[in-house]
Amino acid sequence: WTLPYGVSFHEREDTKDGKVTSEVLLKRLEMVVRDAVVYGKLLSAQRRADITGTDAGFLARYRPK
């Protein structure tokens, strides 16, 4: 499984004194963080719906009995 962000860095080129200096890397990290927040909220909401719902699915086994 890979993410489409192309986030990788070379310490000597992209950082200085422990801080990110590459604009390209900063923008890609911002994309990753943004998507983690957005999709995390969506997945959390779906998990709650699956736990409280009646549809068949992976989380059905975690429903209270």
Side-chain angles (χ1 to χ4, degrees):
W1 185 62
T2 60
L3 297 173
Y5 304 101
V7 176
S8 64
F9 74 98
H10 189 277
E11 188 173 1
R12 291 182 194 158
E13 295 174 15
D14 297 321
T15 64
K16 183 173 183 176
D17 298 326
K19 298 189 185 222
V20 177
T21 56
S22 166
E23 284 298 317
V24 171
L25 179 57
L26 283 171
K27 287 180 192 258
R28 290 182 179 175
L29 289 171
E30 287 174 1
M31 286 190 293
V32 170
V33 170
R34 180 253 181 213
D35 285 357
V37 170
V38 169
Y39 294 122
K41 288 178 184 176
L42 291 170
L43 289 170
S44 177
Q46 187 61 52
R47 180 184 185 282
R48 281 191 301 278
D50 288 348
I51 292 287
T52 59
T54 58
D55 293 342
F58 170 74
L59 292 174
R61 64 181 170 179
Y62 297 105
R63 291 180 185 138
K65 299 197 185 234

